[in-house]
PDB file of all heavy atoms in Angstrom:
ATOM      1  N   TYR E1479      -3.495   9.981 -58.287  1.00  0.00           N
ATOM      2  CA  TYR E1479      -2.055  10.263 -58.435  1.00  0.00           C
ATOM      3  C   TYR E1479      -1.765  10.961 -59.763  1.00  0.00           C
ATOM      4  O   TYR E1479      -0.954  11.881 -59.824  1.00  0.00           O
ATOM      5  CB  TYR E1479      -1.240   8.972 -58.345  1.00  0.00           C
ATOM      6  CG  TYR E1479      -1.046   8.458 -56.947  1.00  0.00           C
ATOM      7  CD1 TYR E1479      -1.679   7.305 -56.515  1.00  0.00           C
ATOM      8  CD2 TYR E1479      -0.204   9.114 -56.045  1.00  0.00           C
ATOM      9  CE1 TYR E1479      -1.498   6.819 -55.226  1.00  0.00           C
ATOM     10  CE2 TYR E1479      -0.016   8.644 -54.763  1.00  0.00           C
ATOM     11  CZ  TYR E1479      -0.666   7.489 -54.353  1.00  0.00           C
ATOM     12  OH  TYR E1479      -0.480   7.022 -53.076  1.00  0.00           O
ATOM     13  N   LEU E1482      -2.980  14.551 -59.541  1.00  0.00           N
ATOM     14  CA  LEU E1482      -2.062  15.293 -58.678  1.00  0.00           C
ATOM     15  C   LEU E1482      -0.761  15.603 -59.428  1.00  0.00           C
ATOM     16  O   LEU E1482      -0.255  16.726 -59.388  1.00  0.00           O
ATOM     17  CB  LEU E1482      -1.777  14.507 -57.398  1.00  0.00           C
ATOM     18  CG  LEU E1482      -0.822  15.155 -56.393  1.00  0.00           C
ATOM     19  CD1 LEU E1482      -1.357  16.503 -55.912  1.00  0.00           C
ATOM     20  CD2 LEU E1482      -0.609  14.213 -55.207  1.00  0.00           C
ATOM     21  N   GLY E1483      -0.245  14.616 -60.132  1.00  0.00           N
ATOM     22  CA  GLY E1483       0.963  14.833 -60.929  1.00  0.00           C
ATOM     23  C   GLY E1483       0.775  15.927 -61.973  1.00  0.00           C
ATOM     24  O   GLY E1483       1.658  16.765 -62.173  1.00  0.00           O
ATOM     25  N   ASN E1484      -0.379  15.933 -62.621  1.00  0.00           N
ATOM     26  CA  ASN E1484      -0.659  16.966 -63.621  1.00  0.00           C
ATOM     27  C   ASN E1484      -0.750  18.354 -63.003  1.00  0.00           C
ATOM     28  O   ASN E1484      -0.308  19.339 -63.599  1.00  0.00           O
ATOM     29  CB  ASN E1484      -1.927  16.627 -64.403  1.00  0.00           C
ATOM     30  CG  ASN E1484      -1.686  15.527 -65.406  1.00  0.00           C
ATOM     31  OD1 ASN E1484      -0.649  15.486 -66.060  1.00  0.00           O
ATOM     32  ND2 ASN E1484      -2.635  14.622 -65.538  1.00  0.00           N
ATOM     33  N   TYR E1486       0.867  19.309 -60.291  1.00  0.00           N
ATOM     34  CA  TYR E1486       2.255  19.692 -60.010  1.00  0.00           C
ATOM     35  C   TYR E1486       2.978  20.128 -61.283  1.00  0.00           C
ATOM     36  O   TYR E1486       3.765  21.080 -61.264  1.00  0.00           O
ATOM     37  CB  TYR E1486       3.007  18.540 -59.343  1.00  0.00           C
ATOM     38  CG  TYR E1486       2.718  18.374 -57.873  1.00  0.00           C
ATOM     39  CD1 TYR E1486       2.386  17.129 -57.355  1.00  0.00           C
ATOM     40  CD2 TYR E1486       2.803  19.447 -56.985  1.00  0.00           C
ATOM     41  CE1 TYR E1486       2.136  16.961 -56.002  1.00  0.00           C
ATOM     42  CE2 TYR E1486       2.554  19.287 -55.635  1.00  0.00           C
ATOM     43  CZ  TYR E1486       2.223  18.041 -55.146  1.00  0.00           C
ATOM     44  OH  TYR E1486       1.982  17.890 -53.805  1.00  0.00           O
ATOM     45  N   LEU E1487       2.715  19.448 -62.390  1.00  0.00           N
ATOM     46  CA  LEU E1487       3.344  19.840 -63.661  1.00  0.00           C
ATOM     47  C   LEU E1487       2.939  21.251 -64.057  1.00  0.00           C
ATOM     48  O   LEU E1487       3.790  22.043 -64.478  1.00  0.00           O
ATOM     49  CB  LEU E1487       2.940  18.878 -64.777  1.00  0.00           C
ATOM     50  CG  LEU E1487       3.803  17.659 -64.983  1.00  0.00           C
ATOM     51  CD1 LEU E1487       3.296  16.846 -66.174  1.00  0.00           C
ATOM     52  CD2 LEU E1487       5.258  18.031 -65.185  1.00  0.00           C
ATOM     53  N   ASP E1491       6.387  22.113 -60.760  1.00  0.00           N
ATOM     54  CA  ASP E1491       7.000  21.366 -59.660  1.00  0.00           C
ATOM     55  C   ASP E1491       7.261  19.943 -60.147  1.00  0.00           C
ATOM     56  O   ASP E1491       6.496  19.020 -59.890  1.00  0.00           O
ATOM     57  CB  ASP E1491       6.076  21.378 -58.443  1.00  0.00           C
ATOM     58  CG  ASP E1491       6.683  20.709 -57.222  1.00  0.00           C
ATOM     59  OD1 ASP E1491       7.713  20.004 -57.362  1.00  0.00           O
ATOM     60  OD2 ASP E1491       6.120  20.885 -56.129  1.00  0.00           O
ATOM     61  N   LYS E1492       8.364  19.815 -60.889  1.00  0.00           N
ATOM     62  CA  LYS E1492       8.661  18.536 -61.534  1.00  0.00           C
ATOM     63  C   LYS E1492       8.981  17.426 -60.544  1.00  0.00           C
ATOM     64  O   LYS E1492       8.643  16.268 -60.776  1.00  0.00           O
ATOM     65  CB  LYS E1492       9.810  18.709 -62.524  1.00  0.00           C
ATOM     66  CG  LYS E1492       9.421  19.558 -63.716  1.00  0.00           C
ATOM     67  CD  LYS E1492      10.578  19.715 -64.678  1.00  0.00           C
ATOM     68  CE  LYS E1492      10.180  20.582 -65.855  1.00  0.00           C
ATOM     69  NZ  LYS E1492      11.300  20.767 -66.786  1.00  0.00           N
ATOM     70  N   ALA E1493       9.609  17.749 -59.423  1.00  0.00           N
ATOM     71  CA  ALA E1493       9.969  16.719 -58.444  1.00  0.00           C
ATOM     72  C   ALA E1493       8.714  16.057 -57.864  1.00  0.00           C
ATOM     73  O   ALA E1493       8.632  14.827 -57.800  1.00  0.00           O
ATOM     74  CB  ALA E1493      10.822  17.326 -57.330  1.00  0.00           C
ATOM     75  N   ASN E1494       7.739  16.870 -57.459  1.00  0.00           N
ATOM     76  CA  ASN E1494       6.507  16.297 -56.921  1.00  0.00           C
ATOM     77  C   ASN E1494       5.668  15.631 -58.009  1.00  0.00           C
ATOM     78  O   ASN E1494       4.998  14.630 -57.748  1.00  0.00           O
ATOM     79  CB  ASN E1494       5.693  17.361 -56.173  1.00  0.00           C
ATOM     80  CG  ASN E1494       6.207  17.558 -54.764  1.00  0.00           C
ATOM     81  OD1 ASN E1494       6.542  16.607 -54.061  1.00  0.00           O
ATOM     82  ND2 ASN E1494       6.273  18.803 -54.331  1.00  0.00           N
ATOM     83  N   ALA E1495       5.703  16.182 -59.209  1.00  0.00           N
ATOM     84  CA  ALA E1495       4.996  15.550 -60.330  1.00  0.00           C
ATOM     85  C   ALA E1495       5.573  14.161 -60.579  1.00  0.00           C
ATOM     86  O   ALA E1495       4.820  13.194 -60.730  1.00  0.00           O
ATOM     87  CB  ALA E1495       5.113  16.410 -61.583  1.00  0.00           C
ATOM     88  N   LEU E1496       6.889  14.080 -60.585  1.00  0.00           N
ATOM     89  CA  LEU E1496       7.548  12.787 -60.795  1.00  0.00           C
ATOM     90  C   LEU E1496       7.139  11.791 -59.716  1.00  0.00           C
ATOM     91  O   LEU E1496       6.801  10.641 -60.018  1.00  0.00           O
ATOM     92  CB  LEU E1496       9.073  12.957 -60.822  1.00  0.00           C
ATOM     93  CG  LEU E1496       9.887  11.676 -60.980  1.00  0.00           C
ATOM     94  CD1 LEU E1496       9.536  10.944 -62.267  1.00  0.00           C
ATOM     95  CD2 LEU E1496      11.378  11.993 -60.919  1.00  0.00           C
ATOM     96  N   ARG E1497       7.150  12.212 -58.454  1.00  0.00           N
ATOM     97  CA  ARG E1497       6.746  11.305 -57.360  1.00  0.00           C
ATOM     98  C   ARG E1497       5.310  10.808 -57.558  1.00  0.00           C
ATOM     99  O   ARG E1497       5.034   9.619 -57.380  1.00  0.00           O
ATOM    100  CB  ARG E1497       6.880  12.006 -56.016  1.00  0.00           C
ATOM    101  CG  ARG E1497       8.288  11.967 -55.453  1.00  0.00           C
ATOM    102  CD  ARG E1497       8.329  12.379 -53.990  1.00  0.00           C
ATOM    103  NE  ARG E1497       8.283  13.819 -53.800  1.00  0.00           N
ATOM    104  CZ  ARG E1497       9.315  14.637 -53.989  1.00  0.00           C
ATOM    105  NH1 ARG E1497      10.481  14.158 -54.369  1.00  0.00           N
ATOM    106  NH2 ARG E1497       9.187  15.938 -53.800  1.00  0.00           N
ATOM    107  N   ALA E1498       4.419  11.710 -57.927  1.00  0.00           N
ATOM    108  CA  ALA E1498       3.016  11.318 -58.119  1.00  0.00           C
ATOM    109  C   ALA E1498       2.886  10.336 -59.290  1.00  0.00           C
ATOM    110  O   ALA E1498       2.194   9.314 -59.182  1.00  0.00           O
ATOM    111  CB  ALA E1498       2.153  12.550 -58.351  1.00  0.00           C
ATOM    112  N   PHE E1499       3.567  10.633 -60.396  1.00  0.00           N
ATOM    113  CA  PHE E1499       3.490   9.744 -61.553  1.00  0.00           C
ATOM    114  C   PHE E1499       4.150   8.394 -61.273  1.00  0.00           C
ATOM    115  O   PHE E1499       3.687   7.354 -61.748  1.00  0.00           O
ATOM    116  CB  PHE E1499       4.099  10.399 -62.793  1.00  0.00           C
ATOM    117  CG  PHE E1499       3.267  11.517 -63.360  1.00  0.00           C
ATOM    118  CD1 PHE E1499       3.870  12.689 -63.785  1.00  0.00           C
ATOM    119  CD2 PHE E1499       1.890  11.412 -63.478  1.00  0.00           C
ATOM    120  CE1 PHE E1499       3.117  13.729 -64.318  1.00  0.00           C
ATOM    121  CE2 PHE E1499       1.123  12.449 -64.010  1.00  0.00           C
ATOM    122  CZ  PHE E1499       1.745  13.608 -64.426  1.00  0.00           C
ATOM    123  N   GLU E1500       5.235   8.386 -60.506  1.00  0.00           N
ATOM    124  CA  GLU E1500       5.873   7.114 -60.142  1.00  0.00           C
ATOM    125  C   GLU E1500       4.934   6.272 -59.281  1.00  0.00           C
ATOM    126  O   GLU E1500       4.868   5.048 -59.451  1.00  0.00           O
ATOM    127  CB  GLU E1500       7.194   7.369 -59.412  1.00  0.00           C
ATOM    128  CG  GLU E1500       8.306   7.790 -60.337  1.00  0.00           C
ATOM    129  CD  GLU E1500       9.603   8.132 -59.613  1.00  0.00           C
ATOM    130  OE1 GLU E1500       9.562   8.557 -58.435  1.00  0.00           O
ATOM    131  OE2 GLU E1500      10.667   7.972 -60.251  1.00  0.00           O
ATOM    132  N   LYS E1501       4.206   6.906 -58.361  1.00  0.00           N
ATOM    133  CA  LYS E1501       3.224   6.166 -57.545  1.00  0.00           C
ATOM    134  C   LYS E1501       2.153   5.571 -58.443  1.00  0.00           C
ATOM    135  O   LYS E1501       1.777   4.411 -58.294  1.00  0.00           O
ATOM    136  CB  LYS E1501       2.580   7.083 -56.504  1.00  0.00           C
ATOM    137  CG  LYS E1501       3.477   7.435 -55.358  1.00  0.00           C
ATOM    138  CD  LYS E1501       3.464   6.329 -54.340  1.00  0.00           C
ATOM    139  CE  LYS E1501       4.057   6.831 -53.041  1.00  0.00           C
ATOM    140  NZ  LYS E1501       4.080   5.825 -52.025  1.00  0.00           N
ATOM    141  N   ALA E1502       1.652   6.388 -59.372  1.00  0.00           N
ATOM    142  CA  ALA E1502       0.620   5.906 -60.293  1.00  0.00           C
ATOM    143  C   ALA E1502       1.151   4.755 -61.143  1.00  0.00           C
ATOM    144  O   ALA E1502       0.454   3.747 -61.331  1.00  0.00           O
ATOM    145  CB  ALA E1502       0.138   7.047 -61.184  1.00  0.00           C
ATOM    146  N   LEU E1503       2.374   4.878 -61.613  1.00  0.00           N
ATOM    147  CA  LEU E1503       2.974   3.815 -62.420  1.00  0.00           C
ATOM    148  C   LEU E1503       3.157   2.542 -61.603  1.00  0.00           C
ATOM    149  O   LEU E1503       2.946   1.438 -62.107  1.00  0.00           O
ATOM    150  CB  LEU E1503       4.317   4.274 -63.003  1.00  0.00           C
ATOM    151  CG  LEU E1503       5.016   3.298 -63.938  1.00  0.00           C
ATOM    152  CD1 LEU E1503       4.142   2.974 -65.152  1.00  0.00           C
ATOM    153  CD2 LEU E1503       6.355   3.873 -64.383  1.00  0.00           C
ATOM    154  N   LEU E1512       1.912   6.641 -68.486  1.00  0.00           N
ATOM    155  CA  LEU E1512       2.599   6.940 -67.230  1.00  0.00           C
ATOM    156  C   LEU E1512       4.099   6.702 -67.352  1.00  0.00           C
ATOM    157  O   LEU E1512       4.896   7.491 -66.867  1.00  0.00           O
ATOM    158  CB  LEU E1512       2.020   6.108 -66.087  1.00  0.00           C
ATOM    159  CG  LEU E1512       0.676   6.578 -65.557  1.00  0.00           C
ATOM    160  CD1 LEU E1512       0.072   5.532 -64.626  1.00  0.00           C
ATOM    161  CD2 LEU E1512       0.837   7.905 -64.834  1.00  0.00           C
ATOM    162  N   ARG E1513       4.466   5.608 -67.998  1.00  0.00           N
ATOM    163  CA  ARG E1513       5.890   5.306 -68.174  1.00  0.00           C
ATOM    164  C   ARG E1513       6.573   6.425 -68.956  1.00  0.00           C
ATOM    165  O   ARG E1513       7.658   6.880 -68.596  1.00  0.00           O
ATOM    166  CB  ARG E1513       6.074   3.960 -68.886  1.00  0.00           C
ATOM    167  CG  ARG E1513       7.532   3.523 -68.955  1.00  0.00           C
ATOM    168  CD  ARG E1513       7.703   2.058 -69.280  1.00  0.00           C
ATOM    169  NE  ARG E1513       6.923   1.123 -68.493  1.00  0.00           N
ATOM    170  CZ  ARG E1513       7.147   0.790 -67.221  1.00  0.00           C
ATOM    171  NH1 ARG E1513       8.147   1.343 -66.584  1.00  0.00           N
ATOM    172  NH2 ARG E1513       6.389  -0.087 -66.601  1.00  0.00           N
ATOM    173  N   ALA E1515       5.596   9.561 -69.146  1.00  0.00           N
ATOM    174  CA  ALA E1515       5.635  10.770 -68.310  1.00  0.00           C
ATOM    175  C   ALA E1515       6.783  10.679 -67.311  1.00  0.00           C
ATOM    176  O   ALA E1515       7.533  11.651 -67.106  1.00  0.00           O
ATOM    177  CB  ALA E1515       4.314  10.948 -67.561  1.00  0.00           C
ATOM    178  N   VAL E1516       6.953   9.513 -66.678  1.00  0.00           N
ATOM    179  CA  VAL E1516       8.034   9.316 -65.699  1.00  0.00           C
ATOM    180  C   VAL E1516       9.386   9.470 -66.372  1.00  0.00           C
ATOM    181  O   VAL E1516      10.272  10.172 -65.883  1.00  0.00           O
ATOM    182  CB  VAL E1516       7.894   7.953 -64.986  1.00  0.00           C
ATOM    183  CG1 VAL E1516       9.153   7.600 -64.212  1.00  0.00           C
ATOM    184  CG2 VAL E1516       6.676   7.977 -64.056  1.00  0.00           C
ATOM    185  N   GLU E1517       9.563   8.810 -67.517  1.00  0.00           N
ATOM    186  CA  GLU E1517      10.843   8.872 -68.231  1.00  0.00           C
ATOM    187  C   GLU E1517      11.157  10.297 -68.673  1.00  0.00           C
ATOM    188  O   GLU E1517      12.287  10.763 -68.565  1.00  0.00           O
ATOM    189  CB  GLU E1517      10.844   7.907 -69.407  1.00  0.00           C
ATOM    190  CG  GLU E1517      10.897   6.454 -68.965  1.00  0.00           C
ATOM    191  CD  GLU E1517      10.683   5.464 -70.095  1.00  0.00           C
ATOM    192  OE1 GLU E1517      10.548   5.882 -71.270  1.00  0.00           O
ATOM    193  OE2 GLU E1517      10.645   4.248 -69.804  1.00  0.00           O
ATOM    194  N   SER E1518      10.151  11.006 -69.149  1.00  0.00           N
ATOM    195  CA  SER E1518      10.338  12.394 -69.591  1.00  0.00           C
ATOM    196  C   SER E1518      10.756  13.287 -68.427  1.00  0.00           C
ATOM    197  O   SER E1518      11.676  14.097 -68.547  1.00  0.00           O
ATOM    198  CB  SER E1518       9.047  12.914 -70.224  1.00  0.00           C
ATOM    199  OG  SER E1518       9.159  14.273 -70.505  1.00  0.00           O
ATOM    200  N   LEU E1519      10.099  13.126 -67.292  1.00  0.00           N
ATOM    201  CA  LEU E1519      10.433  13.938 -66.117  1.00  0.00           C
ATOM    202  C   LEU E1519      11.820  13.608 -65.589  1.00  0.00           C
ATOM    203  O   LEU E1519      12.547  14.501 -65.140  1.00  0.00           O
ATOM    204  CB  LEU E1519       9.386  13.764 -65.018  1.00  0.00           C
ATOM    205  CG  LEU E1519       8.078  14.499 -65.261  1.00  0.00           C
ATOM    206  CD1 LEU E1519       7.008  14.044 -64.293  1.00  0.00           C
ATOM    207  CD2 LEU E1519       8.301  16.007 -65.146  1.00  0.00           C
ATOM    208  N   LYS E1520      12.211  12.356 -65.644  1.00  0.00           N
ATOM    209  CA  LYS E1520      13.550  11.982 -65.191  1.00  0.00           C
ATOM    210  C   LYS E1520      14.624  12.602 -66.080  1.00  0.00           C
ATOM    211  O   LYS E1520      15.678  12.985 -65.594  1.00  0.00           O
ATOM    212  CB  LYS E1520      13.701  10.454 -65.164  1.00  0.00           C
ATOM    213  CG  LYS E1520      13.013   9.808 -63.987  1.00  0.00           C
ATOM    214  CD  LYS E1520      13.230   8.316 -63.975  1.00  0.00           C
ATOM    215  CE  LYS E1520      12.624   7.695 -62.732  1.00  0.00           C
ATOM    216  NZ  LYS E1520      12.795   6.231 -62.707  1.00  0.00           N
ATOM    217  N   ARG E1521      14.330  12.722 -67.367  1.00  0.00           N
ATOM    218  CA  ARG E1521      15.298  13.318 -68.297  1.00  0.00           C
ATOM    219  C   ARG E1521      15.435  14.822 -68.083  1.00  0.00           C
ATOM    220  O   ARG E1521      16.503  15.384 -68.351  1.00  0.00           O
ATOM    221  CB  ARG E1521      14.884  13.059 -69.746  1.00  0.00           C
ATOM    222  CG  ARG E1521      15.214  11.677 -70.242  1.00  0.00           C
ATOM    223  CD  ARG E1521      15.080  11.591 -71.762  1.00  0.00           C
ATOM    224  NE  ARG E1521      13.746  11.955 -72.233  1.00  0.00           N
ATOM    225  CZ  ARG E1521      12.731  11.106 -72.379  1.00  0.00           C
ATOM    226  NH1 ARG E1521      12.887   9.834 -72.076  1.00  0.00           N
ATOM    227  NH2 ARG E1521      11.578  11.513 -72.849  1.00  0.00           N
ATOM    228  N   LYS E1523      15.043  16.509 -65.185  1.00  0.00           N
ATOM    229  CA  LYS E1523      15.316  16.906 -63.796  1.00  0.00           C
ATOM    230  C   LYS E1523      16.505  17.811 -63.699  1.00  0.00           C
ATOM    231  O   LYS E1523      17.463  17.733 -64.376  1.00  0.00           O
ATOM    232  CB  LYS E1523      15.547  15.667 -62.927  1.00  0.00           C
ATOM    233  CG  LYS E1523      14.256  15.156 -62.323  1.00  0.00           C
ATOM    234  CD  LYS E1523      14.475  13.910 -61.555  1.00  0.00           C
ATOM    235  CE  LYS E1523      14.911  14.183 -60.136  1.00  0.00           C
ATOM    236  NZ  LYS E1523      14.975  13.000 -59.316  1.00  0.00           N
TER     237      LYS E1523
END
Side-chain angles (χ1 to χ4, degrees):
Y1479 282 110
L1482 180 60
N1484 285 320
Y1486 281 131
L1487 271 183
D1491 184 346
K1492 292 180 181 179
N1494 278 318
L1496 178 59
R1497 277 193 280 283
F1499 288 137
E1500 284 176 332
K1501 286 278 195 180
L1503 184 60
L1512 284 169
R1513 186 163 310 287
V1516 167
E1517 289 171 3
S1518 173
L1519 284 168
K1520 284 182 176 179
R1521 281 193 302 271
K1523 270 176 85 173

